Structure formats: C-alpha cells, structure tokens
Amino acid sequence: MSTILLVDDNTHILAGTAKHLEQSGYKYDYVDDYKTALNFLRLSRPSVQIVVVTLNNSLGYPMMRKLQALMSDRAPIIVYSEDNDGSISKWITKHNIPHFFRHDTEELQLFNRIKRTLFSRGQFFTHQQLSGLAKVLSKYTDQAESLVKSTAPHSKSIQELQHKLARKLEGIENQRRFLAEVQR
C-alpha cells in the first residue's frame, strides 16, 4: 500500500507528476474520479499520507469537501488545477486548503511539495530504496521485509538504516557482507 494518492478527475493532468514520482522511486496509487478516491480512502485511510487532487471546475467542489472532511486530520490535501479564471484558487483559499499549484506552470513545485511533505512526516526513503534493502537483506534473514518496515521510520539517512539493519543480523560476517553489498 502506498502513501500517496493521486486523484486525477481529468486524466493526464497528473501524469507528469506520476512519472516524476515513479522515476524517483516513490510508490503511489492513481485514481481517475472522486467516487473511487473516496472508496479507496475509506479502505486504506491509515496508510495514505498525501492526497493530490486535480480540480478543474466547480462541479468538483462537493467532492473536495468530502475528501477534506475525510482526510483533514490524517493527510494534507494538495490541489493541482488549470484555474484559468482564478475562481478555483479563491475557493481553495476560502476553504483553508494550504497547498495549491497551477497546472503547466508549477508542476516541479508540486513534486517538491510532495517530497517535502513526506520528509516532514518522517518518510525519508522511497519505496524503491526500501525494496532494494529488503531484497539484499532477504539473503541473510527470513524477516527482511518486517525488519526494513520497522527500522526505516527510526532512521534519517540511508547509511544509518543500513547499519541498523546490519546490527540486527546474526554474526559479524553476515553483517559485513550485507553492508558491503548494499553500499556498492
């Protein structure tokens, strides 16, 4: 289960952001309508840390209110919109949604906001990094995935995480081989 939910009511608006996330090793879920997003959030609410939503006209306002009510205590909502006439940004401000970015002109800022939000919530590693560590660690222990999941939230750098995982292995030789392999 990923920590990022992309809700794209007009397909392809978040496609560039999704591509950046994927290339950077982040895992995300992508839905193309609000009803699916609400159902998804009801089922996996505890794991979602960020919700990125495209909002293109006032027809999406009622669903945005529902998303905000469901997730306001759990995860920040980031809105990404074309906002040609400025009405959407005014609505966003009025409803105290703190993060708003304009489509085509602020895509990089949107991606950076997602990364900063994850870092501020203690997620310092991408899904790709954690999967790679678990794969190498599985050569030395059967509990590789659970060790990585339990140790990662308490580590602030990849080197710190590698050393903590190595210390959990039995035998100095296994620890050395593991560190040599992951630090190549």
Side-chain angles (χ1 to χ4, degrees):
M1 192 84 36
S2 66
T3 58
I4 305 167
L5 176 63
L6 302 177
V7 184
D8 200 351
D9 71 341
N10 185 353
T11 55
H12 307 300
I13 288 184
L14 284 172
T17 302
K19 184 178 177 183
H20 286 305
L21 289 168
E22 196 169 306
Q23 288 172 343
S24 297
Y26 291 98
K27 190 175 177 185
Y28 61 89
D29 288 296
Y30 193 100
V31 297
D32 61 1
D33 65 74
Y34 289 115
K35 287 183 182 181
T36 306
L38 288 170
N39 289 334
F40 180 87
L41 289 171
R42 285 184 185 112
L43 294 173
S44 56
R45 185 173 178 259
S47 67
V48 175
Q49 293 186 16
I50 300 175
V51 180
V52 182
V53 178
T54 59
L55 182 62
N56 295 304
N57 56 47
S58 61
L59 296 175
Y61 293 170
M63 294 308 269
M64 271 299 300
R65 284 189 201 101
K66 288 179 183 178
L67 278 174
Q68 190 176 19
L70 183 64
M71 295 304 289
S72 64
D73 65 328
R74 176 73 187 121
I77 296 174
I78 301 171
V79 177
Y80 191 53
S81 175
E82 291 176 340
D83 194 31
N84 295 329
D85 61 0
S87 62
I88 294 173
S89 60
K90 288 177 190 170
W91 188 87
I92 295 296
T93 303
K94 179 181 172 185
H95 288 84
N96 297 321
I97 299 173
H99 305 293
F100 173 77
F101 297 94
R102 282 179 172 55
H103 176 59
D104 286 338
T105 59
E106 297 178 325
E107 186 174 13
L108 183 58
Q109 292 90 331
L110 169 66
F111 177 65
N112 288 333
R113 168 50 54 197
I114 293 170
K115 288 193 322 186
R116 279 194 302 276
T117 301
L118 290 171
F119 289 148
S120 71
R121 293 176 162 266
Q123 186 173 335
F124 302 108
F125 312 106
T126 66
H127 177 73
Q128 185 177 350
Q129 288 173 314
L130 296 178
S131 295
L133 280 173
K135 183 178 177 182
V136 174
L137 192 62
S138 67
K139 296 176 185 175
Y140 303 96
T141 180
D142 293 335
Q143 297 92 18
E145 276 193 43
S146 64
L147 282 175
V148 170
K149 284 181 183 178
S150 65
T151 309
H154 307 289
S155 305
K156 291 191 176 15
S157 72
I158 195 72
Q159 292 81 12
E160 180 183 356
L161 177 57
Q162 291 167 348
H163 284 275
K164 284 182 178 182
L165 291 171
R167 285 191 293 269
K168 293 183 185 242
L169 295 175
E170 290 186 26
I172 191 79
E173 266 318 298
N174 285 340
Q175 293 173 356
R176 286 182 182 159
R177 280 189 273 148
F178 170 73
L179 284 174
E181 193 170 343
V182 295
Q183 292 177 349
R184 281 188 214 159

